[in-house]
Amino acid sequence: MTQAPVSPDPGPDDDPARRAGGPAASPPAGPGGSPPGSPGGGPQPGPDEFPGPGWRELPPSTQDWLTEDEWVAWLAAMQDEDPGLAPGEEPDPEDPLPPARKTRSPQPGHGSRAPAGVPRAVPSARRGPGEPGSARRVPGDSPGPAGAFATGQVLDVAPGGGALHGLAEHAAGPGDRFAGASDDELTGVICALDRVEAAACALKHAAVAEFIRRRPEPGCPSEGPAQMPGTYDEFTEDELRDALAETRDGAARILSLAYDLEVKLPGTRAAFRAGVLRHAKVEIIARATANLDAAEARAAEALVLDRAGRLTPGGLRAAIARAVLEVAPDKAVKRREDARRDARVQRWLEDSGNAALMGRELPPAEVLAADQRITWWATQLKKAGLDGDMDQLRALAYMDIMLGRDSRPVVPPAQPAAGQDSRDSENRGPGSGSGEPGSGSENGENGRPDAPRGGGPEGPGGGGSPAPDPGEPGIPPAASVLPAGFAGRLHLTVPLTTLLDLAERPGEISGLGPVDPVLARELARAAAANPTTTYCLSVTDEHGHAIGHGCARPEPKSHPRPAQRDKTAPPGGPASPAGPASPGGPAPPGDHDPPGGPASRPPPRFTFTASGEHGPPGGYGAWRLSTGLPGQRDLLLTLDPIALDTCDHRLEASGHDPGVKLRHLAQIRHATCVAPSCRRPAQQCDFEHNIPYEAGGRSCLCNGGPTCRHDHRLKQHPGWKVEQITTGTFRRTAPSGRQYTTEPTRYPI
């Protein structure tokens, strides 16, 4: 039940319970002008009887809003009231007249009357500090019509519904301008109306669920606690789409969501009905749990509902996907494999008039390799001087690769020197003395160096040619200059127990989200086949927060190896790591094995053991990681602690620049920008000093974190304030005074 603001001190003439419609109001007159229950109007209930149906007895309140000391002070300040005249006593004409009672006028805020039809709470006999009508106000309390929407006030946390909507309508005032509302109160109204909107949408889906109950498929009785049929009539979608002027697919989605909320997701339904979750977030949970049974879906939603309302849609999508992978990893794998049969490429017209091209349900490893190729070619376009940010250059690189073209500027042919025959320059090749690119057909069509350069400084045939350099303009975008598979610099996070085949825990890919354990192992093995892959290891607490981290480095060749290490090479000699082709030039597109490594190569078999060395003080030891691939050295790690609550400044930098290690640990602690609703990867952010270095702030984990450029500018804007309340927790205060907190990233555990 929503409690509305009450009047400061209603007297007998201003008691909501005595107004028409209130529980203690005089009942309306019956026929003939006599109230019901009066002589001629029917029997009158006794003093211990209820007036009629619909009434119920409320237990007396036992809550005391005053402390014992406050009660003593209040009683001491009380004055004896005039007992008045005794029965039959006449007033003395010489006595002064009693002071006239002041006419009460409505006051704004708590004293304003709510609109008709909106329930109002009956005030208690006593009020304590901070209660509506108290002389002592809590901080931020406002006398305006929107005062109850301020931070922490009753309407700021009230569930959505018709009563809350009515109070927001009242606060809007003439012209919906919210006159007298502070920024904090206006923000509270916006949040309240968001809950009202969600509650109304939830009620609509509850009505749709009842519609399903009335349209069961013949032979499908209602069952379960929700009393829903197993399936509904074939033409129920058509009936709903005609009523809502919706497409058939749209009507099917509404029916499916209403059914799942009743049968599989009761917790999500309750949060939806209270306005904690809006429709878009409810759909995210329903889609993620679509392939689970009722028990599994309830277990998955229980893992995220405590924070679902605070998460952004992207954050909630990752959280519920991780929960599904923890509850039913086998079903997640089956869903991914089944969906590959629906692989497709889609195109459509954008609203702007441009077009879009998108691949769907593709193998993740191949998508990651293709994405890295697009980024690589975009960097070549940038080096060539093309304008645009990386998003624009990646789009151009994408089309270059798809169409086999080169968008770099054409290199103009060299002008012949004075007295030189122009035919000499036309016959000069890339290796004929000057080293300047020529303009003949050997260098590509129209003088563009589209083909890989085959000659070195001495020209063709002069002792062979070097391996192609991706930075050279002669490498077309489709050339296979990248090693097989993809480089594991995309921050693939895999629980160690999953990597070692000891447990089935989900992994996570930065920028993509959680992945099932099988795929996490496949991606880790694909990355291991690439010699440029780097490895890091983090230690997490019970909440998934990183509390320790180390970056692997190859074991020195002179380092003693364990005795049990198998030093024998496989038959046929040691396998060379995948890389560029022979010095004659790059391999043609598709001339290497798909992600995952060559078929003739055994798959990686990871092992993780103690190295026997001492780790850093207060850290988590020193370790050895082996991929099990012939020809690859073991990797050594030392795990440094990551400060979350307190900091010993062991990693503090001496200057403004945090340095590579400090910056990296800050990016591990917060994998995205530290702003509350920003999900930009930390690798694309700057290390932002919370207290500026010039103002005495440390370059340390306790005074900074990854912040994107937008939120960096926001922090500098007047009215905004960012605090690092603990070493790992940030709190941002908006100009309205509202505060929002960011905790460290939660990794799979």
Side-chain angles (χ1 to χ4, degrees):
M1 175 180 177
T2 301
Q3 182 176 353
V6 296
S7 303
D9 190 15
D13 57 340
D14 192 23
D15 188 351
R18 289 184 168 86
R19 293 198 300 269
S26 299
S34 299
S38 61
Q44 186 173 4
D48 296 330
E49 298 177 3
F50 287 1
W55 290 79
R56 61 188 179 90
E57 184 178 5
L58 295 177
S61 175
T62 59
Q63 189 171 9
D64 195 344
W65 297 104
L66 294 178
T67 65
E68 188 67 26
D69 293 338
E70 289 172 335
W71 264 111
V72 172
W74 180 76
L75 291 173
M78 291 289 291
Q79 295 181 358
D80 294 336
E81 297 183 358
D82 186 359
L85 299 176
E89 182 180 0
E90 296 291 335
D92 189 344
E94 297 180 1
D95 288 342
L97 295 176
R101 182 178 180 182
K102 295 182 180 180
T103 303
R104 295 182 53 84
S105 58
Q107 299 176 0
H110 298 301
S112 303
R113 291 183 182 270
V118 177
R120 295 170 58 91
V122 179
S124 61
R126 299 190 295 265
R127 301 186 183 93
E131 284 300 292
S134 171
R136 294 170 55 187
R137 297 189 180 278
V138 295
D141 193 19
S142 170
F149 290 94
T151 301
Q153 296 298 309
V154 60
L155 299 185
D156 185 45
V157 295
L164 188 61
H165 180 262
L167 291 167
E169 285 270 17
H170 176 58
D176 294 340
R177 297 299 302 273
F178 297 91
S182 66
D183 290 352
D184 176 39
E185 294 161 358
L186 186 59
T187 304
V189 171
I190 294 171
C191 295
L193 289 174
D194 186 71
R195 299 194 299 274
V196 168
E197 181 183 17
C201 189
L203 188 58
K204 181 186 79 170
H205 283 79
V208 172
E210 180 60 28
F211 196 68
I212 292 175
R213 294 185 182 97
R214 301 183 184 191
R215 299 291 187 274
E217 182 75 15
C220 292
S222 298
E223 55 188 16
Q227 287 296 291
M228 296 286 287
T231 183
Y232 46 81
D233 183 74
E234 176 186 1
F235 300 109
T236 306
E237 294 176 2
D238 300 273
E239 192 171 1
L240 189 62
R241 71 167 179 160
D242 289 346
L244 298 178
E246 183 58 89
T247 64
R248 180 175 296 174
D249 288 342
R253 286 194 299 269
I254 295 174
L255 288 164
S256 176
L257 180 58
Y259 187 91
D260 286 346
L261 289 173
E262 294 290 330
V263 176
K264 297 168 59 175
L265 300 168
T268 303
R269 179 184 181 276
F272 194 18
R273 189 69 178 89
V276 175
L277 297 178
R278 66 177 69 96
H279 179 250
K281 292 185 177 182
V282 172
E283 283 194 318
I284 289 173
I285 297 176
R287 284 197 301 267
T289 57
N291 63 322
L292 305 183
D293 59 34
E296 293 167 340
R298 291 168 186 165
E301 71 169 358
L303 296 176
V304 300
L305 283 180
D306 61 330
R307 63 188 190 280
R310 303 191 307 271
L311 295 174
T312 63
L316 177 59
R317 187 176 294 107
I320 187 62
R322 191 181 303 117
V324 169
L325 292 172
E326 293 177 6
V327 170
D330 294 340
K331 288 189 175 180
V333 173
K334 186 177 185 303
R335 181 181 186 181
R336 172 171 56 84
E337 293 175 346
D338 291 345
R340 285 187 180 180
R341 293 194 292 267
D342 196 28
R344 60 199 183 277
V345 175
Q346 295 177 328
R347 70 178 190 275
W348 65 90
L349 192 67
E350 300 278 18
D351 295 338
S352 63
N354 295 308
L357 184 67
M358 176 176 61
R360 302 288 302 275
E361 301 294 352
L362 306 177
E366 295 180 10
V367 169
L368 295 172
D371 182 73
Q372 289 188 343
R373 181 179 292 272
I374 292 171
T375 299
W376 164 78
W377 185 244
T379 58
Q380 305 309 312
L381 298 178
K382 190 174 186 66
K383 290 178 181 178
L386 271 70
D387 295 331
D389 56 26
M390 280 305 293
D391 285 338
Q392 295 169 328
L393 293 177
R394 275 173 50 86
L396 183 59
Y398 173 63
M399 297 308 299
D400 277 1
I401 294 172
M402 295 297 296
L403 300 176
R405 73 184 185 194
D406 188 345
S407 293
R408 291 173 295 183
V410 177
V411 180
Q415 297 297 327
Q420 181 184 4
D421 190 350
S422 61
R423 290 175 297 177
D424 293 341
S425 63
E426 294 176 1
N427 294 329
R428 293 173 70 96
S432 53
S434 67
E436 296 175 353
S439 59
S441 60
E442 293 181 1
N443 290 320
E445 226 176 11
N446 300 325
R448 297 184 65 158
D450 287 343
R453 296 185 180 184
E458 300 299 325
S465 58
D469 182 3
E472 292 291 334
I475 305 299
S480 180
V481 299
L482 293 178
F486 59 88
R489 290 174 182 161
L490 46 85
H491 299 277
L492 168 66
T493 303
V494 184
L496 186 61
T497 53
T498 300
L499 191 65
L500 302 179
D501 292 315
L502 300 177
E504 296 295 311
R505 305 282 178 79
E508 190 158 351
I509 300 175
S510 176
L512 287 183
V515 293
D516 60 75
V518 174
L519 179 58
R521 278 191 291 266
E522 290 178 358
L523 295 177
R525 290 166 181 168
N530 192 314
T532 63
T533 292
T534 57
Y535 296 85
C536 293
L537 188 139
S538 297
V539 181
T540 62
D541 61 14
E542 66 274 14
H543 304 294
H545 300 150
I547 57 176
H549 184 79
C551 297
R553 66 186 190 279
E555 180 185 29
K557 292 184 178 180
S558 60
H559 197 280
R561 296 174 177 270
Q564 69 273 18
R565 179 71 180 267
D566 184 8
K567 299 181 180 180
T568 60
S576 61
S582 64
D591 195 41
H592 57 70
D593 292 294
S600 60
R601 183 175 222 169
R605 184 76 177 179
F606 291 94
T607 59
F608 187 73
T609 57
S611 67
E613 300 177 355
H614 294 291
Y620 297 90
W623 303 85
R624 178 189 300 272
L625 176 66
S626 174
T627 63
L629 291 175
Q632 288 193 8
R633 286 182 286 172
D634 287 353
L635 303 167
L636 302 179
L637 303 97
T638 56
L639 301 178
D640 291 291
I642 296 180
L644 295 184
D645 299 320
T646 59
C647 183
D648 58 8
H649 315 301
R650 69 171 64 191
L651 300 173
E652 180 181 1
S654 58
H656 179 276
D657 188 355
V660 175
K661 187 172 186 178
L662 179 60
R663 186 190 307 272
H664 181 60
L665 291 180
Q667 293 170 351
I668 295 299
R669 186 178 64 186
H670 291 90
T672 60
C673 173
V674 298
S677 56
C678 182
R679 288 181 56 80
R680 180 173 290 275
Q683 290 73 28
Q684 302 174 16
C685 299
D686 300 324
F687 182 89
E688 167 74 10
H689 290 74
N690 190 60
I691 299 175
Y693 178 78
E694 296 77 10
R698 298 174 180 264
S699 295
C700 188
L701 284 174
C702 59
N703 187 47
T707 308
C708 69
R709 294 294 175 88
H710 172 83
D711 288 299
H712 170 76
R713 292 189 297 107
L714 178 146
K715 179 176 178 289
Q716 310 300 326
H717 193 276
W720 288 88
K721 181 180 180 181
V722 178
E723 303 168 274
Q724 201 164 348
I725 54 179
T726 67
T727 301
T729 305
F730 289 79
R731 181 172 63 198
R732 188 160 81 175
T733 305
S736 64
R738 298 253 165 174
Q739 295 182 331
Y740 310 94
T741 303
T742 304
E743 67 172 351
T745 298
R746 296 193 182 195
Y747 289 97
I749 56 176

